[in-house]
């Protein structure tokens, strides 16, 4: 019974990933694409956790934590790029 529930949840999150991909492809604004990418990261984390439950392997939980860290950093970088146009912090040089 749990296998059926896991398969259903994996299908739902896969469908959500497909909708996010369509949103990225059809969006005109950068903010919408950033939000869709962040949601894709969240859905891929959920898929990895469900896969770990389905296969009973702990390595997928560690992989999902790594994806969560990279996803949060990349969302911040994308947002900073959209707001400021660059990723580096300008420094003051005193001569």
């Amino acid at each position: 019974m749990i296998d059926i529930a896991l398969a259903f949840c994996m299908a739902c999150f896969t469908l959500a990933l497909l909708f996010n991909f369509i949103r990225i492809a059809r969006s005109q604004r950068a903010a919408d694409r950033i939000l869709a990418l962040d949601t894709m990261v969240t859905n891929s984390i959920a898929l990895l956790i469900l896969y770990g439950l389905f296969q009973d392997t702990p390595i997928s939980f560690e992989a999902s934590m790594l994806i969560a860290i990279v996803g949060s950093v990349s969302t911040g970088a994308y947002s900073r790029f959209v707001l400021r146009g660059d990723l580096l912090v300008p420094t003051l040089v005193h001569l």
Side-chain angles (χ1 to χ4, degrees), residues 3-24:
D3 292 339
I4 296 170
L6 286 173
F8 177 74
C9 289
M10 289 176 82
C12 288
F13 279 111
T14 304
L15 186 65
L17 276 173
L18 176 68
F19 287 149
N20 287 327
F21 184 72
I22 291 170
R23 182 67 179 173
I24 290 172

Side-chain angles (χ1 to χ4, degrees), residues 3-72:
D3 292 339
I4 296 170
L6 286 173
F8 177 74
C9 289
M10 289 176 82
C12 288
F13 279 111
T14 304
L15 186 65
L17 276 173
L18 176 68
F19 287 149
N20 287 327
F21 184 72
I22 291 170
R23 182 67 179 173
I24 290 172
R26 298 189 68 188
S27 177
Q28 298 293 324
R29 296 182 354 186
D32 291 337
R33 290 191 295 263
I34 291 170
L35 185 62
L37 279 172
D38 191 40
T39 309
M40 282 182 79
V41 169
T42 305
N43 288 336
S44 64
I45 291 168
L47 276 173
L48 271 174
I49 290 173
L50 288 172
Y51 180 74
L53 289 172
F54 188 72
Q55 294 293 325
D56 197 25
T57 58
I59 192 75
S60 64
F61 299 114
E62 294 172 8
S64 65
M65 294 304 289
L66 290 174
I67 289 176
I69 292 169
V70 170
S72 64

